[in-house]
Amino acid sequence: MISFGLKDVIDILIIAVMLFYIYKMMKSSGTLSLFYGVLIFFVLWVLAAEIFDMRLTGSILDKFMGIGLIVLVVLFQDQIKRFLIDIGSHGRMKYFRRLFRHDERAESRRQDIMAVVYSCMSMSKTKTGALIVFQRKVPLTNYEDTGDLIDADINVRLIENIFFKNSPLHDGAMIIADNKIKSVGCILPVSHDMDIPKTLGLRHRAALGMSQATDAVCIVVSEETGNISVAMEGKFRIKLSAPELEHTLSEALHDID
């Protein structure tokens, strides 16, 4: 007779929560089909090795499982890091951190957001292309190293000068972290999603790719239309006004500490 107790319920809940987080991570990174493939392979392995006791098939699948886990870790190291950071940032851990630390950076963050909003609106009027990335919980050091490190204070004039059409750095991305412009002229991962409208250019694909690989908030000013868009969590918010851009950034960045 098979016994089913509290320990088994907890065991199932743990696996269900892990699968849910992995599903969300794969969905936001545009690799959901790979998630389904891995899940099907895992189910086949359990059926062959554990339930039906198929020794030959089970032993072959065991070898693939050992190698497959290493391959998945190498391929999805950024997503795994993001997954672990999200776990450590949620719920009670975040609450307890706030008990012992006042949010002294709130006003400074608001000023930084407004500087970015003003510069984006100004560049939108002149149809100056721009790509600005706000770091959230996942560190962007690897992407900062692809550009020129400047570690400068955030201000409207500097942002507009960097993305001025004759500037040698205007084609790359600007990365903002810890209330500083950390790096400019950065190279970002490009999304290869087929659902992206053809009217959106390379900057938009880079913004979406960055939002899929990390939890960053990516702002794009279109060089063709002047429209302002935000890519976040693998999704686009297009044609934002100044109040909408300010609200989006404030909501996304209010809990990054």
Side-chain angles (χ1 to χ4, degrees):
M1 183 178 179
I2 300 176
S3 60
F4 191 83
L6 180 60
K7 182 176 68 174
D8 301 296
V9 174
I10 295 174
D11 192 21
I12 293 173
L13 286 175
I14 291 173
I15 296 300
V17 170
M18 288 181 62
L19 287 175
F20 174 72
Y21 270 100
I22 293 172
Y23 171 81
K24 285 183 62 179
M25 180 179 66
M26 293 290 191
K27 184 178 181 180
S28 64
S29 63
T31 54
L32 194 57
S33 58
L34 180 59
F35 170 78
Y36 290 136
V38 172
L39 188 61
I40 292 171
F41 185 86
F42 180 76
V43 170
L44 290 175
W45 173 65
V46 171
L47 289 174
E50 302 296 332
I51 297 179
F52 295 113
D53 196 23
M54 302 169 66
R55 296 182 180 179
L56 179 59
T57 305
S59 62
I60 294 174
L61 292 178
D62 281 340
K63 300 295 184 182
F64 278 107
M65 283 297 294
I67 299 173
L69 288 175
I70 297 174
V71 172
L72 288 176
V73 169
V74 173
L75 288 176
F76 296 101
Q77 53 183 324
D78 290 337
Q79 286 83 355
I80 292 171
K81 181 168 65 175
R82 176 178 173 182
F83 168 68
L84 295 175
I85 291 173
D86 283 344
I87 290 177
S89 302
H90 284 166
R92 296 184 181 273
M93 292 183 182
K94 183 190 298 182
Y95 174 75
F96 282 122
R97 286 203 303 268
R98 288 180 176 176
L99 284 178
F100 300 100
R101 182 172 62 185
H102 295 290
D103 192 6
E104 299 175 352
R105 300 169 67 182
E107 182 59 29
S108 176
R109 187 185 307 118
R110 181 180 176 278
Q111 293 176 0
D112 295 340
I113 289 173
M114 294 310 301
V116 172
V117 171
Y118 289 144
S119 60
C120 285
M121 297 309 297
S122 176
M123 291 185 291
S124 173
K125 292 177 182 178
T126 58
K127 293 186 179 180
T128 301
L131 176 52
I132 302 173
V133 178
F134 269 100
Q135 175 180 295
R136 296 172 76 190
K137 300 185 186 82
V138 177
L140 305 179
T141 308
N142 292 340
Y143 302 102
E144 292 173 12
D145 293 339
T146 64
D148 294 308
L149 302 175
I150 61 173
D151 197 32
D153 292 333
I154 302 170
N155 67 77
V156 176
R157 184 172 296 179
L158 177 59
I159 295 174
E160 292 182 11
N161 284 337
I162 287 173
F163 288 111
F164 182 66
K165 293 181 180 180
N166 292 331
S167 168
L169 301 173
H170 80 281
D171 280 334
M174 171 187 292
I175 294 180
I176 296 176
D178 300 323
N179 301 92
K180 294 280 188 178
I181 299 176
K182 289 291 186 179
S183 188
V184 294
C186 301
I187 300 173
L188 306 185
V190 178
S191 174
H192 297 286
D193 282 6
M194 302 303 294
D195 298 332
I196 301 177
K198 294 182 179 179
T199 54
L200 302 183
L202 185 59
R203 281 193 182 92
H204 291 83
R205 285 192 171 273
L208 186 63
M210 189 68 165
S211 73
Q212 291 171 341
T214 71
D215 65 345
V217 181
C218 306
I219 309 165
V220 181
V221 180
S222 173
E223 195 169 357
E224 287 75 25
T225 63
N227 292 332
I228 299 174
S229 306
V230 170
M232 184 169 58
E233 297 177 351
K235 296 180 180 178
F236 264 125
R237 301 180 187 182
I238 302 176
K239 296 182 180 179
L240 298 181
S241 63
E244 290 171 337
L245 178 60
E246 179 189 353
H247 177 74
T248 299
L249 294 178
S250 298
E251 286 290 312
L253 303 174
H254 81 283
D255 62 346
I256 60 175
D257 294 329

